[in-house]
Amino acid sequence: MSASADPDRDPTPTTSAAASVTAPAAPRVLGLGVVGAGFIAESHALAAAAHPGVRLASVYDRAAGAAGALAGRYGASIAPSLEALLADPAVDVVVLGTPNDTHRELALQTAAAGKHLLLEKPLTLTATDAAEVVLAFQQAETVLLVGHTHRHSDYARAVKAAIARGAIGEPRSMRLTIAGGWIWGNWGAWVLDPVRSGGHAFHNGVHLYDLARWWLDSEIESVYTLGQRVTAGALQIDDALTTTLTTKAGSVAVCEISRGERPKNTSIFEIVIHGSRGSLVRRWNSDGTVLLADDGCGPVPAPGFSPFLRQLDVLHGAVTGGCEVFPSPADAVHAIAVAEAASASADSGEIVPVVDPPPAPAHPSAAKTQGAGQ
Amino acid sequence: MSGTVLLAGTGTARFRQNHQRYMYLPAVKHLIDEGLPGSPTGVSGVFEPSSDPALQERAGYLAQTSGSRVIDTIDLTGVAAVIACPDADAEAAGAGWGTELLQAAADAGVPVLMDKPTLLPADVLRDWAKRFPTGVTAAHHPRFHPAITACRGRIATGGLGLLHAVHGELLVGSGDGPHPLGELRNLAVYALDVVQALCGYPLHGKGTAQIQPPGPDGTGESITISVRVDPDVVVTLLVGRSGDGDADDPSGIDQAAGQAGTSPAGARARAAATRALPGTGVPPVHRYRILGSHGQLLADLDSPVMDLYTDTLSRVPFGPSSLDCLVDGVIRRTAAQPDLASALAMADLITALETSNAEHRAVQF
């Protein structure tokens, strides 16, 4: 239960039936090079193992032991350096799962090396940097896919489909909550350093902002954020962040992300979409199982299809077939602009407008990296 | 303590709300049917001095269905409690009877339950709050819901540690339709009052409200409230109304509460409502997630209820509704809060939130 409470993972664990959503037989096999062998790398490695068109080729981590362990489990090689991995002809796609403040530089290096990139969110820590990275991949004519993995999850697709078929009429307001207890280690954890992680709006909030923008089908115009440091007053980042987004269409989304709740292994995952003709509600026990045990109490997520596998399949289609990536890099840049505004609002206590960077100039390869996706 | 209930006034004709019929009389009947010691013994009369045909029609129906009669003078003989639905328009014009009624009740020591004071003209509410500091309870019934009562008890005794957030939704069906004074004053006041009851003190702080106007198809407003209540309790509330409304539609929060309860008639009405399609009679989404330093509470006000599986899925409620608890508490004089001063503070908070929406900025309240 505690693992599923982490917004970096889809709230629904996966089933062995996940392979049923993979690409047609005998696709071109892409070699994956994982940079950063932290916990999220395992999810990508599992997805690669389940996809017939992808294999984990190489792993690099500054902690050689972590790289070796991951590579050993999946039969991959261990790269002695980042440069070696980027130069490895067996690597077609880089999967980047390093601390947030490294994303810009490593992404630019990947583009310069002519590799495709699956970049864990957040894209970067400023919208200007995000636009620079997107432009670099357009110019390199390689694919950039940002890991807004929730978009590929069962629940997110179900919400989008319900809205699209008019089940609640015109969506007007919504709540999206992913709230759990502490998982961020001790005071030295890089996530707690606002310079390295960007704070909660960047580290986890972008998942929610991206979903709100997608579900409500309108860009975010302004934000109002209420931040709290629940676990300890000495924290330098808010561990509970409630951001109210207003879209250009006038709809409103309350996005709540928290690592400060008790009991520690609590996992609250809540969706409410209110429309002109009704409301779509994910109840607290919607997954059907509730745990009452000495080591935890609360809803138990039901297994579903792997969003990491779906995400990897999108990437495979883009690299081998020229399909559009989903979400588009433009959406990923917008999520960063929203996170910037959300952080500024938390600091000022005022409503802050979202300022998107100027769009990157058009490029012949734009079809590969821009598009609405599904 | 035991005695009858006087139904005073039948509301404001242009508001379309008919709360005596759909809320209070059903709750009084539930209590009469229960027959517990101290429960009301009947309805003494329906006081409606207005000559407005619409109000007289409402009064006539109430008298007929309660076995009482319409009266045009205040008579508190044998009355255990008054339930008042004053005409906001008449009070604004200085032609109302509210002050006379409240004074008579105060003199007689009879408690008064006042329907939605935030819909009254501000100067009238201010005057009444000053003149009648005790003895009048604002009919903010959701704070009396058994689930909220349970939460309040847990919070008050430190069972959650210190509150750090309350997040809630109050999303209703078409009900009796969009209110002409806006859903912030009509509907969101209930959710704000629940928050105040959970906190246990008047709400002050800073925040925003965003109100989406009624849709072109007649659907109601959608309201999003995001505030930080002193000293540091984050509160977000989603409030809204789907559909364009019908005075007899049981999907509104007030009608649903009025029809809930333990009586067979109430259960049938509620079950019928919950079998209906969205927008035509489903119960409200009304719930709160209450976060504290040492735990959290998840309160769903669509409860207590059992599911009934037949050829359709329906619900069987049990126990008293929020309205039953409120009316019972007023009669037994255990429901002194929220008083008119509390309602006045809530009206001022709502005014601040209206300013936030109009000027698109965070406001102090």
Side-chain angles (χ1 to χ4, degrees), chain A residues 221-224 340-342 344-346 348 350-354:
Chain A
E221 189 169 66
S222 64
V223 307
Y224 180 65
E340 275 192 303
S345 176
S348 68
E350 305 295 339
I351 296 172
V352 172
V354 174

CSV table of all heavy atoms in Angstrom, one decimal, chain A residues 221-224 340-342 344-346 348 350-354:
chain,number,residue,atom,x,y,z
A,221,GLU,N,-4.6,28.9,-16.6
A,221,GLU,CA,-4.4,30.4,-16.8
A,221,GLU,C,-3.8,31.0,-15.5
A,221,GLU,O,-3.0,31.9,-15.6
A,221,GLU,CB,-5.7,31.1,-17.1
A,221,GLU,CG,-5.6,32.5,-17.5
A,221,GLU,CD,-6.9,33.0,-18.1
A,221,GLU,OE1,-7.9,33.1,-17.4
A,221,GLU,OE2,-6.9,33.3,-19.3
A,222,SER,N,-4.3,30.5,-14.4
A,222,SER,CA,-3.8,31.1,-13.1
A,222,SER,C,-3.9,30.1,-12.0
A,222,SER,O,-4.6,29.1,-12.1
A,222,SER,CB,-4.5,32.4,-12.7
A,222,SER,OG,-5.9,32.1,-12.4
A,223,VAL,N,-3.1,30.3,-10.9
A,223,VAL,CA,-3.1,29.3,-9.8
A,223,VAL,C,-3.1,30.0,-8.5
A,223,VAL,O,-2.7,31.2,-8.4
A,223,VAL,CB,-1.9,28.4,-9.9
A,223,VAL,CG1,-1.8,27.7,-11.2
A,223,VAL,CG2,-0.6,29.1,-9.6
A,224,TYR,N,-3.6,29.3,-7.5
A,224,TYR,CA,-3.6,29.8,-6.1
A,224,TYR,C,-3.2,28.6,-5.2
A,224,TYR,O,-3.8,27.6,-5.3
A,224,TYR,CB,-4.9,30.3,-5.7
A,224,TYR,CG,-5.0,30.9,-4.3
A,224,TYR,CD1,-4.2,32.0,-3.9
A,224,TYR,CD2,-5.8,30.2,-3.3
A,224,TYR,CE1,-4.3,32.4,-2.6
A,224,TYR,CE2,-5.8,30.7,-2.0
A,224,TYR,CZ,-5.0,31.8,-1.6
A,224,TYR,OH,-5.1,32.3,-0.3
A,340,GLU,N,5.8,26.4,-11.8
A,340,GLU,CA,6.5,27.6,-11.4
A,340,GLU,C,5.5,28.6,-10.8
A,340,GLU,O,5.8,29.2,-9.7
A,340,GLU,CB,7.1,28.3,-12.7
A,340,GLU,CG,8.4,27.8,-13.1
A,340,GLU,CD,9.1,28.7,-14.2
A,340,GLU,OE1,8.4,28.8,-15.2
A,340,GLU,OE2,10.2,29.2,-13.9
A,341,ALA,N,4.3,28.7,-11.4
A,341,ALA,CA,3.3,29.7,-10.8
A,341,ALA,C,2.8,29.2,-9.5
A,341,ALA,O,2.6,30.0,-8.6
A,341,ALA,CB,2.2,29.8,-11.8
A,342,ALA,N,2.7,27.8,-9.4
A,342,ALA,CA,2.2,27.3,-8.1
A,342,ALA,C,3.2,27.6,-7.0
A,342,ALA,O,2.8,27.9,-5.9
A,342,ALA,CB,2.0,25.8,-8.3
A,344,ALA,N,5.3,30.0,-6.9
A,344,ALA,CA,5.3,31.5,-6.6
A,344,ALA,C,4.1,31.9,-5.8
A,344,ALA,O,4.2,32.7,-4.9
A,344,ALA,CB,5.3,32.2,-8.0
A,345,SER,N,3.0,31.2,-6.1
A,345,SER,CA,1.8,31.5,-5.3
A,345,SER,C,1.9,31.1,-3.9
A,345,SER,O,1.4,31.8,-3.0
A,345,SER,CB,0.6,30.8,-6.0
A,345,SER,OG,-0.6,31.0,-5.2
A,346,ALA,N,2.5,29.9,-3.7
A,346,ALA,CA,2.7,29.4,-2.3
A,346,ALA,C,3.6,30.4,-1.5
A,346,ALA,O,3.3,30.6,-0.3
A,346,ALA,CB,3.3,28.0,-2.3
A,348,SER,N,3.9,33.7,-2.2
A,348,SER,CA,3.3,35.1,-2.1
A,348,SER,C,1.9,35.1,-1.4
A,348,SER,O,1.5,36.1,-0.9
A,348,SER,CB,3.2,35.7,-3.5
A,348,SER,OG,2.2,35.0,-4.2
A,350,GLU,N,-0.8,34.8,-3.0
A,350,GLU,CA,-1.7,35.5,-4.0
A,350,GLU,C,-1.9,34.6,-5.2
A,350,GLU,O,-1.2,33.6,-5.4
A,350,GLU,CB,-1.0,36.8,-4.4
A,350,GLU,CG,-0.7,37.7,-3.3
A,350,GLU,CD,-1.9,38.2,-2.5
A,350,GLU,OE1,-3.0,38.2,-3.0
A,350,GLU,OE2,-1.7,38.7,-1.3
A,351,ILE,N,-2.9,35.0,-6.0
A,351,ILE,CA,-3.2,34.3,-7.2
A,351,ILE,C,-2.1,34.7,-8.2
A,351,ILE,O,-1.8,35.9,-8.3
A,351,ILE,CB,-4.6,34.7,-7.8
A,351,ILE,CG1,-5.7,34.2,-6.8
A,351,ILE,CG2,-4.8,34.1,-9.2
A,351,ILE,CD1,-7.1,34.7,-7.2
A,352,VAL,N,-1.5,33.7,-8.9
A,352,VAL,CA,-0.4,34.0,-9.8
A,352,VAL,C,-0.8,33.5,-11.2
A,352,VAL,O,-1.2,32.4,-11.4
A,352,VAL,CB,0.9,33.3,-9.3
A,352,VAL,CG1,2.0,33.4,-10.4
A,352,VAL,CG2,1.3,33.9,-8.0
A,353,PRO,N,-0.6,34.3,-12.3
A,353,PRO,CA,-0.8,33.9,-13.6
A,353,PRO,C,0.2,32.9,-14.1
A,353,PRO,O,1.4,32.9,-13.7
A,353,PRO,CB,-0.8,35.2,-14.4
A,353,PRO,CG,0.1,36.1,-13.6
A,353,PRO,CD,-0.1,35.7,-12.2
A,354,VAL,N,-0.2,32.0,-15.0
A,354,VAL,CA,0.7,31.0,-15.6
A,354,VAL,C,1.3,31.6,-16.8
A,354,VAL,O,0.6,32.1,-17.7
A,354,VAL,CB,0.0,29.7,-15.9
A,354,VAL,CG1,1.0,28.8,-16.7
A,354,VAL,CG2,-0.5,29.1,-14.6
